[in-house]
Amino acid sequence: GAVVSQHPSRVICKSGTSVKIECRSLDFQATTMFWYRQFPKQSLMLMATSNEGSKATYEQGVEKDKFLINHASLTLSTLTVTSAHPEDSSFYICSAKPQGNSNQPQHFGDGTRLSIL
Amino acid sequence: QKEVEQDPGPLSVPEGAIVSLNCTYSNSAFQYFMWYRQYSRKGPELLMYTYSSGNKEDGRFTAQVDKSSKYISLFIRDSQPSDSATYLCAMEKGGANNLFFGTGTRLTVIP
């Protein structure tokens, strides 16, 4: 149980392109989902907290106009990297927390490797 | 000082060895403690989730929490080459959602 699916797993695109990444909780509902960024050999860095039906909460230093988050349902959150540039190349990972019991752990997707040429 | 400290390794052990992975933390507000395993180019996979001080066992894995010393451990018995991965400790404050991660320890189990 508690499976989180992330799509696509790999994106290679030209500079200036906008890229959308989907995060789905497959067997549970998630009021809250999270978006992380991970650089090689480093730990995960929280970018934003996505709340169903309301605006996302962004961490300090993360541009909300650059990284658009939509959490339209209890099973889907999307991250759109707008006008992506090479410095946006990274490993993006989402996680979800089961609805109802706030003491449940976060479950992670398998990540999206984004490469901007 | 980081809120969660974890030795990044790398750590290499022979197959069958007992592995000990550790994290320390400074904030006594942390109440929930997790260990995740992350294979290369994959997302973290939840291994253990604990709340109280003491031990929790699941197969070859044992998680240990000592809140008085602000110290958590993960023990892996009879380690296998398939255990080779990066192990991340993570912690959460009560009533909040944010996870605080250690830097991760890279483990290699040599056949």
Side-chain angles (χ1 to χ4, degrees), chain A residues 10 32 34 36 38 41-44 46 49 59 91 93 97 102-111 113, chain B residues 32 34 36 38 40-46 49 88-89 92 94-99 101-104 106:
Chain A
R10 183 85 162 97
T32 307
F34 306 85
Y36 295 83
Q38 187 177 32
K41 299 188 179 181
Q42 294 188 25
S43 192
L44 285 75
L46 180 66
T49 301
E59 294 300 299
F91 192 48
I93 311 175
K97 202 165 191 182
S102 63
N103 297 336
Q104 290 287 322
Q106 293 182 27
H107 297 272
F108 288 82
D110 263 347
R113 188 162 300 279
Chain B
Y32 303 96
M34 288 136 275
Y36 289 89
Q38 186 176 24
S40 182
R41 300 175 183 265
K42 292 287 188 180
E45 171 193 2
L46 181 68
Y49 178 60
L88 296 153
C89 66
E92 188 176 285
N97 283 316
N98 289 14
L99 277 184
F101 282 94
T103 52
R106 193 169 181 182

Side-chain angles (χ1 to χ4, degrees), chain B residues 80-108:
Chain B
Q80 302 295 310
S82 58
D83 295 329
S84 298
T86 296
Y87 290 80
L88 296 153
C89 66
M91 307 179 187
E92 188 176 285
K93 299 174 185 176
N97 283 316
N98 289 14
L99 277 184
F100 290 79
F101 282 94
T103 52
T105 300
R106 193 169 181 182
L107 170 69
T108 301

Side-chain angles (χ1 to χ4, degrees), chain B residues 71-83:
Chain B
Y71 188 89
I72 69 169
S73 300
L74 178 71
F75 298 97
I76 307 173
R77 290 184 298 281
D78 187 25
S79 57
Q80 302 295 310
S82 58
D83 295 329

Side-chain angles (χ1 to χ4, degrees), chain A residues 13-61:
Chain A
C13 58
K14 292 181 180 179
S15 185
T17 306
S18 291
V19 178
K20 182 188 250 185
I21 303 169
E22 291 188 350
C23 180
R24 293 180 186 273
S25 55
L26 296 187
D27 51 0
F28 66 97
Q29 294 186 324
T31 308
T32 307
M33 292 185 172
F34 306 85
W35 289 96
Y36 295 83
R37 188 170 178 174
Q38 187 177 32
F39 291 105
K41 299 188 179 181
Q42 294 188 25
S43 192
L44 285 75
M45 184 182 74
L46 180 66
M47 297 174 66
T49 301
S50 169
N51 300 297
E52 187 267 336
S54 64
K55 291 183 179 180
T57 304
Y58 290 82
E59 294 300 299
Q60 192 172 10

Side-chain angles (χ1 to χ4, degrees), chain B residues 3-5 11 15 20 25 44 56 67 76 81 99 104 110:
Chain B
E3 292 203 69
V4 182
E5 298 278 358
L11 180 64
E15 183 175 354
S20 173
Y25 62 97
K56 182 178 181 179
K67 287 187 175 181
I76 307 173
L99 277 184
I110 303 166

